[in-house]
Amino acid sequence: MAKSFPYGGYIGQLLRVNLSKKGIMKEDLREDWARDFVGGVGLSARILYQEIPPKIDPLGPENKLVMMTGPVNGTMIPAASRSSICAKSPYTKSFFHSIFGGFLGPELKFAGYDGLIIEGRADKPVYIWIDDDTVEIRDASHLWGKDPFTAEDILRREIGDEEIHIATIGLAGEEKAPYAMILCDIRAAGRGGMGAVMGSKNLKAIVVRGTGGVTVPNMLRVYNTAIRINELFATTPAVQGLSGYGTPRNVAAMNEGGILPTRNWQTETFKGMKNITGEAMREQVVKGDRACFACSINCTKYSVVPNGPYKSIINGADYETIYAFGSICQVDDIRVLCKADELCDHYGIDLISTGVSIGWAMECYEKGIFRKKDTDGIDLHFGNADGMLAMIEKIGKREGLGELLARGTRDAAKIVGKDTGRFAIQNKGLEWPGHTCRPFPAAAVGYATGPRGGSHHDIRPTAEKSGLVDRKIIEGKGAVAAEINHWLILGDSMLICHLGEPIWGPLKISDSMINALNAVTGWELDYEGARKIAEREWNMIRCFSAREGFTREDDQLPARFMEEPVPEGPMQGSHIPKETLERLKDEYYTYRGWDLKTGNPTKQKLVELGLDFAVKDVC
Amino acid sequence: MARVKVKSFSVIRDVLGSEVVEIEVNEPQTVRRLFDELVRRYGQAFKDKIWDPNTGQMAPFLIKLNESMISSTLDIDHQINNGDEIAIIFPIGGG
């Protein structure tokens, strides 16, 4: 039983499971770390910086997998359903945070833990069963080799409780495929190979059942805060449409705006998009709506293709599915995209990296670099739906060309050569999501400097995409990007969903975000106090990367975005030339108080933020 | 008076009833006047989709005016002309 914790929203207890030693320990959450890093990603970064040495093999037993909640999880604060899974990534080779929604995070708190630290490596397949105070490491030999859905079914029958919540890996995770993901209820910790880290530990699943609750200092204050945020979700125009159409509401409007990445980003307008819009999806395949814990946005769609070659049942499709397999591969059939989504879940692979890797292979095929003898006889022309689906299977099984594509575009381009890296749409090794930066300088510098590379959750292009700030002006965008970083990282430490962006941000940490944190914890943070926590968290993660050897040189954009202007549409001509990016980086580092030459935080900045312990590593 | 075509998507299209509607805009022929006319014609249901009651302002979004991009916040008094085609690039974000 956890001791009484001084701040509301926290349980005050972490669970540590050592799979090598079969050890299970419950330990107190450090009060100072809760106050300085809040929870979620910030707290995980602090723990991993402390506990794993630099330069370790991410797939070795020295790496640790940290599943963390935030103080607001498990309360009635809307969109506070998220959880983070963090580790040193086998894909990007630095600190990585993959965030997922659903129910597992709140359930972990109800079981009595703010977070779970998994270390070592089991000598045979296991799963972790957390049933309130009772924690067991159980044999998972019978689950190994099973896809996530089959494994979940077996676990539900075996445990005999429909209320359990499960995180599990597929075949890709078991085989430590670089971009293997973790399926978590109706959502996934998709990015950065967290599934490979889990697989490297011979850990098939984490199963949680909790019957406790979360204590807050003033229930009425939390209630009133939740009511107000729900009102904002219901009335703010930019949130609307998510309930009806999910994130695919974006497709048609973004295409009209010339910002729908298409044909492996050769252009940003897809003429065949009519059949893959949110509207088309709603008409053709959506059978219901689903929401994560305590969320009124309700963005997840439940879709069914009842028969035929693309027969499938998915939670989705999300915008990123439509981007990665639709416009990137120029496949204009929503049924095919549902099937692609289902296949990625089946194998347990990140759908963004999968789709963008296939898009890269299609461009290789288009340019004559790949021929049918290289693609296992598969026709990989852009637009060939069946060829695309066949290649997902190949990646899932790591067969033939699939073995190469399962490594991701950075490594695949290095192996193939022939200048194919110029159209590998990744930075820091992570393939890009479907949100462009070519017309948006703040987004560009945010992507380049982000700890994960191709993640639209280290930066958001929304402020420029909406005209909230003038996208045509370069000056000042380093500061804009930094303040967007801050609301994102504080949100990822509280663990609230970024789809509430207009309420939580979108330009800087909002009053709503601070109110939610204060109401739950009983803190009385003002803007400067909240911002300082966020800045500390961002610098903590930067220190992790710097200790791994990352420098200014690693803060790059995909070559295509620097060298190839958008060829058509209303954003025609947009790109971020190399010299513009370097200028933006100078501005960003200066605003952050980082060294212009190395891109590392300075001693002065680290001392100011209370990160003195990192000075010896990075300065 | 300018007669313009307005294109919209998802929840805004649902309110306007069609992907493209034609609107007549009286003097002064500006973006602001166009949205005033849309509110007059489609009422509160349309206003709810673009006006933020929490700020009392029109939401920030991009507008495609023929083949160029303007902004609802920075270019609200931008001139529009007879025959212009306007697309409301909103709501977008997330994913």
Side-chain angles (χ1 to χ4, degrees), chain A residues 228 232 235-238 240-241 245 247 249-250 252-253 256-257 274 279 320 435 456-457 460 465-467 499 570, chain B residues 7 9-11 13-14 19 48-49 51 53-54 60-62 64 67 69 71 73 87 89-95:
Chain A
R228 177 61 186 145
L232 290 169
T235 57
T236 300
Q240 296 187 26
Y245 298 105
T247 50
R249 71 174 183 171
N250 293 347
E256 189 72 22
K274 274 278 181 193
E279 295 89 326
E320 296 300 343
H435 299 276
H456 57 307
H457 291 283
R460 306 291 286 176
K465 206 185 265 183
S466 66
L499 286 190
Chain B
K7 193 172 188 182
F9 311 96
S10 72
V11 286
R13 181 208 65 167
D14 292 347
E19 187 173 297
D48 287 345
K49 299 296 178 233
W51 249 267
N54 307 294
F61 53 85
L62 291 181
K64 183 180 169 191
E67 281 306 308
M69 279 295 195
S71 153
T73 48
I89 312 301
F90 187 71
I92 55 173

Side-chain angles (χ1 to χ4, degrees), chain A residues 51-226:
Chain A
E51 296 195 6
I52 63 173
K55 318 277 179 156
I56 59 160
D57 173 6
L59 298 176
E62 305 85 3
N63 201 4
K64 299 190 182 189
L65 194 68
V66 179
M67 179 184 288
M68 195 64 71
T69 68
V72 295
N73 294 146
T75 72
M76 62 180 76
I77 297 294
S81 64
R82 317 284 284 175
S83 308
S84 60
I85 294 184
C86 301
K88 180 177 175 181
S89 165
Y91 204 44
T92 63
K93 317 295 186 200
S94 187
F95 177 82
F96 202 96
H97 57 284
S98 195
I99 311 282
F100 62 95
F103 301 85
L104 189 60
E107 194 76 10
L108 187 63
K109 285 180 78 172
F110 299 155
Y113 312 98
D114 293 298
L116 167 63
I117 302 169
I118 301 163
E119 49 194 30
R121 173 188 286 155
D123 55 9
K124 60 177 184 176
V126 295
Y127 73 91
I128 297 171
W129 166 228
I130 301 168
D131 182 17
D132 287 329
D133 277 344
T134 303
V135 181
E136 297 172 16
I137 301 169
R138 289 185 168 184
D139 177 54
S141 303
H142 59 307
L143 304 174
W144 209 249
K146 301 281 191 297
D147 71 86
F149 303 114
T150 303
E152 281 187 20
D153 283 346
I154 294 170
L155 285 165
R156 285 186 200 288
R157 283 202 303 274
E158 188 170 299
I159 292 169
D161 183 348
E162 281 297 309
E163 300 297 315
I164 59 174
H165 293 285
I166 304 170
T168 186
I169 57 171
L171 191 62
E174 293 176 11
E175 295 190 353
K176 300 178 274 295
Y179 52 80
M181 57 101 156
I182 304 172
L183 205 71
C184 308
D185 292 327
I186 62 173
R187 308 299 305 182
R191 309 225 67 200
M194 296 298 98
V197 177
M198 195 160 151
S200 75
K201 299 188 174 307
N202 275 325
L203 178 62
K204 179 68 178 179
I206 301 162
V207 187
V208 184
R209 182 74 171 102
T211 58
V214 176
T215 303
V216 295
N218 183 335
M219 178 62 90
L220 185 60
R221 185 179 178 191
V222 173
Y223 175 79
N224 286 333
T225 304

Side-chain angles (χ1 to χ4, degrees), chain A residues 179-471:
Chain A
Y179 52 80
M181 57 101 156
I182 304 172
L183 205 71
C184 308
D185 292 327
I186 62 173
R187 308 299 305 182
R191 309 225 67 200
M194 296 298 98
V197 177
M198 195 160 151
S200 75
K201 299 188 174 307
N202 275 325
L203 178 62
K204 179 68 178 179
I206 301 162
V207 187
V208 184
R209 182 74 171 102
T211 58
V214 176
T215 303
V216 295
N218 183 335
M219 178 62 90
L220 185 60
R221 185 179 178 191
V222 173
Y223 175 79
N224 286 333
T225 304
I227 292 287
R228 177 61 186 145
I229 293 169
N230 268 323
E231 283 173 357
L232 290 169
F233 282 170
T235 57
T236 300
V239 180
Q240 296 187 26
L242 289 169
S243 292
Y245 298 105
T247 50
R249 71 174 183 171
N250 293 347
V251 175
M254 286 174 63
N255 190 61
E256 189 72 22
I259 50 174
L260 181 67
T262 299
R263 202 177 180 86
N264 195 35
W265 292 83
Q266 292 180 46
T267 184
E268 302 201 16
T269 306
F270 182 30
K271 293 180 176 61
M273 68 88 206
K274 274 278 181 193
N275 243 350
I276 59 169
T277 61
E279 295 89 326
M281 188 176 104
R282 186 96 214 172
E283 286 164 17
Q284 295 181 35
V285 296
V286 172
K287 301 299 177 195
D289 306 314
R290 288 184 169 177
C292 299
F293 180 90
C295 187
S296 55
I297 294 178
N298 215 26
C299 73
T300 301
K301 303 302 132 204
Y302 172 68
S303 299
V304 178
V305 179
N307 47 47
Y310 310 125
K311 183 178 178 182
S312 48
I313 301 174
I314 61 165
N315 288 306
D318 287 325
Y319 168 71
E320 296 300 343
T321 318
I322 292 175
Y323 147 77
F325 297 113
S327 57
I328 282 296
C329 297
Q330 290 201 295
V331 170
D332 60 357
D333 185 335
I334 191 68
R335 299 169 308 155
V336 176
L337 308 190
C338 290
K339 186 66 186 175
D341 190 309
E342 186 184 71
L343 282 172
C344 288
D345 286 352
H346 176 84
Y347 289 109
I349 46 179
D350 171 26
L351 62 82
I352 296 177
S353 287
T354 302
V356 176
S357 295
I358 294 173
W360 172 83
M362 285 178 160
E363 188 161 344
C364 288
Y365 195 80
E366 180 182 61
K367 287 177 160 53
I369 296 165
F370 287 167
R371 300 182 187 280
K372 272 196 175 173
K373 66 179 173 54
D374 305 306
T375 62
D376 314 309
I378 295 170
D379 176 356
L380 265 190
H381 276 107
F382 281 106
N384 182 358
D386 292 335
M388 181 188 74
L389 293 175
M391 198 48 66
I392 297 172
E393 298 260 18
K394 293 275 183 192
I395 292 171
K397 295 174 183 167
R398 301 189 78 170
E399 286 178 357
L401 183 62
E403 164 59 22
L404 180 76
L405 299 184
R407 297 164 183 249
T409 56
R410 178 171 64 179
D411 285 3
K414 278 182 192 163
I415 292 165
V416 171
K418 300 179 182 174
D419 220 19
T420 55
R422 304 207 87 76
F423 54 87
I425 309 301
Q426 56 79 27
N427 67 313
K428 298 194 173 93
L430 191 68
E431 282 73 23
W432 269 49
H435 299 276
T436 188
C437 77
R438 282 194 274 205
F440 306 132
V445 72
Y447 276 115
T449 57
R452 293 174 289 187
S455 172
H456 57 307
H457 291 283
D458 289 337
I459 187 67
R460 306 291 286 176
T462 312
E464 292 164 303
K465 206 185 265 183
S466 66
L468 195 59
V469 296
D470 192 340
R471 68 182 176 86

Side-chain angles (χ1 to χ4, degrees), chain A residues 556-603:
Chain A
Q556 297 298 339
L557 290 172
R560 173 156 279 166
F561 302 159
M562 296 189 286
E563 297 169 357
E564 296 181 29
V566 178
E568 60 185 326
M571 296 300 187
Q572 185 175 19
S574 298
H575 68 306
I576 304 289
K578 174 82 171 160
E579 57 272 22
T580 302
L581 177 63
E582 293 304 318
R583 188 173 138 204
L584 284 161
K585 282 161 62 178
D586 281 348
E587 199 184 275
Y588 179 86
Y589 298 147
T590 301
Y591 185 78
R592 284 216 164 279
W594 291 357
D595 182 79
L596 280 176
K597 190 174 174 191
T598 64
N600 290 352
T602 57
K603 180 178 179 182

Side-chain angles (χ1 to χ4, degrees), chain A residues 6-18:
Chain A
Y7 311 132
Y10 293 93
I11 305 300
Q13 181 168 257
L14 297 174
L15 179 63
R16 186 182 295 270
V17 176
N18 187 307

